[in-house]
Structure formats: C-alpha cells, structure tokens
Amino acid sequence: MNAEPRRVEHLQTDKGNVPVYTTTVVEQPWGSYTRDDHATWATLFKRQRDLLTHRACREFLANQQRFGMTPDAIPKFDELNRVLKQATGWQLVGVEGLLPELTFFEHLANRRFPVTWWIRRPEQIDYICEPDLFHDLFGHVPLLLEPLFADYMQAYGAGGVKAHGVGPEALVNLTRLYWYTVEFGLIRQDDGLRIYGSGIVSSKGESIHSLESPSPNRLGFDLMRIMRTRYRIDTYQKTYFVIEGFGQLMRATEPDFTPHYAALAAQESIPAGAVLAGDQVYQRGTGEGWSSDGDV
Ligand code: PHE
Ligand code: CO
C-alpha cells in the first residue's frame, strides 16, 4: 500500500535549475537509510556541533541536547515527536522535497513542521541548493522546543495563509521575513552575537562568515526594513538582522500585516547589501552597543 517515498530534487535543464514541488506527506523510511546516509549525518553533526559551541544561541544548543540528537545515527522522527508533543505541541511530518508555499504555510499554522526525509549525498556535504534532512532536522527542529519561537512559527504560517490571499507582492514581503529571521537570523546574547537561523547553523562556511567576516552588515531587527530587503539564495548573506530576544520577534509580528502590505506596495525594495541612514549597525562579534547613524 505505501510505496517507498520519493526523493524529489530540482531539475537541471538548459535554463538552469528548476525547483520541483511536492505535497505528499510520508512516513520516515528509517530502515532504508544506508551506511553512507548515517555517515553523512555523523560527519555533518560533529562538524557543526563543534563549530557552533560558541556561535549558536544557548537555546539552540540546549534544545538539541534535550532531543538527545547524536552523531551515531539519523534521528527517528517518532522519537523527536514524543519530546516535541509534550513541550510545545509541534509535530514533524516527513516530506519528499520542497512544498508549494500555501501547503507549507498550512502545515506551520497547524504546528506541523515538514522535514525532508532524505539526506544529501556525500559529494554534497558542503553545499546543497535545497533543504535536506540535515538542514531541516539539525537546523530547524531544536528551536521548535522554545515556546516563544514555536509560537512565532505557527503565527508565521497563519500569516502566510493570509498573505497568500492578499497577493504575490505580500508573499514576497513575508518570505523575506522568514529568510532574515528563521533562516538567517542572529541574536544578541550576554556574551555577544549568536546564531539562531537554520540556514546558518546547517552551513559550515556561513556559521563562520555570519559572525566573523568583516564584510556583511549586521543590522538591528526592523520589520518593515526586512520586508523590503532583497536576498540572494546562492551566496552568503550580505546582511544579517539581529534580534535582542525571541520575545521581540513575537511582539513585532503580532499586529495585522494588512496595512503593512499596502504601505510596502508603494515602496522600492532595498538591495541585499545596502546600509541606510537609521539602520542600527552592530559591531562584529561583540555584544556591545551599536551606532544608529549607518556607519560600520
Ligand atoms: N501578524 C501577521 C499578520 O497579520 C502574521 C505573522 C505573524 C507574520 C508572525 C509573521 C510572523 O499577517
Ligand atoms: Co530551512
């Protein structure tokens, strides 16, 4: 009855890579993982854990331990779900690849987090252009145990369903918010800037680049500014936005976005690497003050 889940990836055509979408929800075929698959998990897990010890936010590190994730084997969704259910009511569901936007939002709005069941191939260890099990599980799942963040994710999903009804421009605005928070967010903690974005924690290069490189901008979280800011998906980010705590995300995004979308429709988008007058600029790697006059 249940066919083996498929592994849905982008297509390579003469026009470049074309994303492929799928809505199927699948059981995690845990028994079908090969020794290579578990070895890929082990390699990535150890490498990122070491790198993230003093780079990821404390909630990410503590929650990953609370799940009992180890390098020994690819975790079982069922076991993670037992912990999640009790803590925040979230549940992981297995998927075959990228979901269409509305399907993705509906899962989040119902506290279901879609996790790609398959892991990247050995030759994709350092870079893969779409989410795989390592990115989804290692990167996203730990913060679903954090009550404020868990609520934010659900509210985002509900907001996505709504934005979908408003129109494509509203969706572009809202997607930027996901990108600059859930995927590439930084947070200021007692001992300095730390990572909470899943796209950063699942990447060796970006874990270092986001905190240590002198080149990217690190700007204070600003909802409307973020929703106007373009991004690149194929290079390290030129700009990261820094929150002061997960409560700030909730408070800033609680109001109805309908008037925001109307206001944004009349405004130009901002290039990924721009720094504007009025941006709060954080100094690299320190928890100390920022200047608000746009200088670095
Ligand atoms: N409050 C937003 C709205 O009305 C929904 C939302 C919540 C969006 C949290 C993003 C994050 O559309
Ligand atoms: Co992701």
Side-chain angles (χ1 to χ4, degrees), residues 54-128:
H54 298 289
R55 290 187 177 91
C57 67
R58 60 180 118 76
E59 293 85 352
F60 176 88
L61 296 168
N63 292 345
Q64 208 163 54
Q65 268 183 330
R66 192 168 151 205
F67 272 121
M69 288 190 196
T70 72
D72 304 339
I74 293 174
K76 292 182 171 159
F77 297 177
D78 287 348
E79 289 176 10
L80 303 175
N81 275 340
R82 276 200 284 276
V83 182
L84 267 176
K85 180 107 223 161
Q86 263 227 327
T88 55
W90 275 79
Q91 290 289 275
L92 311 180
V93 293
V95 294
E96 299 181 311
L98 281 180
L99 304 182
E101 268 170 328
L102 187 57
T103 311
F104 180 65
F105 295 144
E106 282 168 345
H107 280 302
L108 297 186
N110 290 287
R111 293 199 170 231
R112 292 188 302 265
F113 191 79
V115 175
T116 307
W117 73 265
W118 52 267
I119 195 161
R120 66 193 72 184
R121 285 183 265 273
E123 65 272 20
Q124 298 169 308
I125 282 260
D126 291 315
Y127 182 78
I128 175 165

Side-chain angles (χ1 to χ4, degrees), residues 152 155-156 159 162 174 177 253-257 261:
Y152 174 70
Y156 181 88
K162 196 165 87 185
L174 191 67
L177 178 62
T253 55
E254 237 170 77
D256 180 7
F257 281 15
Y261 296 136

